[in-house]
Amino acid sequence: MLVIQARHLGMCFGVRDALETMRNLPYPETVTVHGELVHNPVVTEELDARGFHRQSEDERHAAPSTDKVLITAHGVSNTARKKLESQGYELIDTTCPLVKRVHKAALHYHDKGYFLVVIGRRGHVEVEGLTGDLVNFVVVSHPDQVRTYQERRIAVVNQTTTRPDEVEEFHRRVVRNNSQAEVKLVDTTCRPTRERQDSVVELVRRVQGLVVVGGANSNNTLQLGLKAQEHGIPWWRVATAQELRPEWFENIRVIGLTAGTSTTDETVREVAVALRKIKPGKLSA
Ligand code: SF4
């Protein structure tokens, strides 16, 4: 098959920096990674091979079993951070600066008395970190969930991997349903997410299907795939090249390739090589 890659794809600087910190840490067996470092099973295997202790995202409420705790690129709330410190843990912080920026924006408006509408996936680790210090807030993951709130001042912030067009739609709904309120929008989609979204929009016009490389829990991976769906072409998510199934591509000659921000360059390369080896489908016969 002919493979066309998105202009911007794969690992962002936030994840790259977190991985570099992890790879340079001495004595990994003395460190517990607090949740998934990134939503990428290949990286998870690497952590295990190096001897890191890991807490899955569901286990993060339990006490870590080592003296040092690595905070992932998705960040944690100040409340969670202080709790760990008060329990005597030494923290190694790999929170992405762009996640910190969202926390700062949310707390700024919250402290001024605004009600926060947080656009994001409920239960997602970044959203939990963001809302962990808030009292007066709601998380919405679909525009239909936006209600009329009994508040005079509302601030809208979003998970860093929210699609820019979705942010606009949520904002419109908040304004429309809350004409009594002053509504502030702080668009906190990060630049790497924007670049990958813009690139995939260009890409889906040129291909017959799309492969997105990324973990099952990765929000930005899902968002990339949904662009293909909106454009009316099929898409498949794989975490590794081994997950590709040739029968998916029976009717496809030209396939697009992109990857979520947690995906390593090596995994993208392996998937590209494997796709090129798949024989063109029925349409080229
Ligand atoms: S996706 Fe954006 S916010 Fe998240 S780690 Fe990467 S650069 Fe940072």
Side-chain angles (χ1 to χ4, degrees):
M1 274 189 305
L2 177 62
V3 180
I4 303 181
Q5 291 195 192
R7 198 150 55 89
H8 293 281
L9 78 172
M11 195 162 280
C12 60
F13 77 90
V15 171
R16 230 178 260 286
D17 290 354
L19 277 180
E20 199 180 321
T21 301
M22 178 205 87
R23 287 178 175 138
N24 289 330
L25 278 177
Y27 311 113
E29 64 284 0
T30 64
V31 179
T32 297
V33 180
H34 195 53
E36 277 188 62
L37 179 66
V38 291
H39 291 132
N40 178 329
V42 178
V43 172
T44 305
E45 276 173 28
E46 182 184 339
L47 292 179
D48 291 346
R50 284 173 179 252
F52 282 98
H53 292 245
R54 280 200 295 119
Q55 286 182 301
S56 72
E57 287 173 359
D58 296 340
E59 294 165 348
R60 294 195 316 162
H61 299 295
S65 56
T66 58
D67 293 342
K68 294 179 190 160
V69 176
L70 186 141
I71 305 297
T72 70
H74 296 102
V76 292
S77 64
N78 292 336
T79 310
R81 187 184 302 271
K82 279 184 192 141
K83 185 175 169 198
L84 286 166
E85 282 172 343
S86 71
Q87 290 169 334
Y89 293 106
E90 181 187 329
L91 303 188
I92 302 157
D93 192 358
T94 69
T95 307
C96 175
L98 300 184
V99 172
K100 287 185 184 167
R101 188 177 137 242
V102 191
H103 285 225
K104 199 170 161 196
L107 284 174
H108 171 79
Y109 284 105
H110 191 259
D111 290 351
K112 285 186 160 205
Y114 282 74
F115 177 72
L116 267 289
V117 175
V118 178
I119 304 167
R121 265 171 61 193
R122 285 196 184 123
H124 187 282
V125 61
E126 184 189 317
V127 174
E128 290 209 340
L130 176 58
T131 56
D133 296 323
L134 308 179
V135 177
N136 206 12
F137 72 96
V138 66
V139 178
V140 287
S141 48
H142 189 280
D144 290 347
Q145 293 169 352
V146 172
R147 301 276 175 265
T148 301
Y149 308 107
Q150 303 306 315
E151 313 285 339
R152 301 196 65 77
R153 297 198 296 174
I154 298 173
V156 181
V157 297
N158 58 278
Q159 190 175 344
T160 53
T161 50
T162 312
R163 287 166 31 184
D165 56 331
E166 279 194 324
V167 174
E168 282 170 26
E169 176 57 22
F170 277 100
H171 179 226
R172 261 196 301 275
R173 295 283 186 109
V174 175
V175 170
R176 197 180 72 194
N177 292 353
N178 294 276
S179 54
Q180 84 292 351
E182 169 206 344
V183 179
K184 291 252 188 239
L185 170 67
V186 193
D187 185 345
T188 45
T189 299
C190 71
R191 186 174 48 81
T193 294
R194 269 177 213 285
E195 289 172 344
R196 280 149 189 73
Q197 280 286 326
D198 291 347
S199 299
V200 86
V201 169
E202 286 168 20
L203 181 64
V204 293
R205 297 190 191 119
R206 304 167 59 201
V207 295
Q208 297 165 305
L210 181 73
V211 169
V212 187
V213 193
N217 293 340
S218 163
N219 185 50
N220 73 89
T221 299
L222 172 69
Q223 298 300 335
L224 291 170
L226 291 178
K227 276 291 174 199
Q229 195 168 308
E230 279 169 21
H231 195 70
I233 61 171
W235 71 282
W236 300 270
R237 183 198 64 78
V238 293
T240 63
Q242 289 71 37
E243 291 179 13
L244 290 169
R245 295 282 165 268
E247 59 270 24
W248 293 342
F249 308 107
E250 271 192 351
N251 293 315
I252 291 185
R253 282 174 300 139
V254 185
I255 190 80
L257 176 62
T258 187
T261 51
S262 300
T263 307
T264 62
D265 299 344
E266 196 186 345
T267 304
V268 174
R269 258 194 308 275
E270 286 168 1
V271 172
V273 167
L275 284 171
R276 284 192 190 103
K277 285 184 185 160
I278 295 175
K279 294 260 183 291
K282 287 174 188 167
L283 285 179
S284 67

